[in-house]
Amino acid sequence: MGTATHTMAYYREKERIAYSAIPGLEMILGSSPAEREKLEEKYPDAVFALMIADNLVGHDREQCEINQSAYLSILKGENIADIRFRYDSAMRKYVERHLWDD
């Protein structure tokens, strides 16, 4: 059995559904810069979800994998606190492994 292939439209629809369930996310996206800071303080889960979505691709393969894992967990509707715990743990281990890299 092969791996399923999905289009960006598939992921955008999953994202629309999952993100609409995260309190404050839509308010943050629609806010002015002055309002955004206050909303970000009030809705850290929304800030986390937006940060993950903004960092799906980049220069470091390991960090991308960590972000993509968190992103897919968000799309599945998993508990944000659990996702953040796994993300923070994975990033902490990543930093420990690469602390001395040039």
Side-chain angles (χ1 to χ4, degrees), residues 17-89:
I17 294 166
Y19 281 33
S20 69
I22 299 172
L25 194 134
E26 291 179 18
M27 285 189 290
I28 289 172
L29 288 175
S31 67
S32 70
E35 297 170 320
R36 188 173 181 128
E37 188 174 329
K38 290 177 185 169
L39 289 170
E40 287 177 344
E41 289 176 18
K42 187 174 181 179
Y43 298 107
D45 289 347
V47 173
F48 175 75
L50 291 170
M51 179 202 64
I52 293 299
D54 286 342
N55 290 294
L56 293 176
V57 294
H59 300 295
D60 186 282
R61 181 187 57 80
E62 283 183 80
Q63 286 181 346
C64 288
E65 288 175 359
I66 294 167
N67 286 321
Q68 289 169 9
S69 176
Y71 179 75
L72 292 174
S73 294
I74 291 169
L75 296 189
K76 290 177 187 173
E78 293 180 24
N79 181 293
I80 297 287
D82 293 339
I83 298 168
R84 282 183 93 154
F85 178 82
R86 291 191 308 264
Y87 173 86
D88 288 343
S89 176

Side-chain angles (χ1 to χ4, degrees), residues 9-24:
Y10 169 84
Y11 287 106
R12 291 294 179 220
E13 178 61 15
K14 297 288 266 180
E15 187 177 281
R16 186 189 64 74
I17 294 166
Y19 281 33
S20 69
I22 299 172

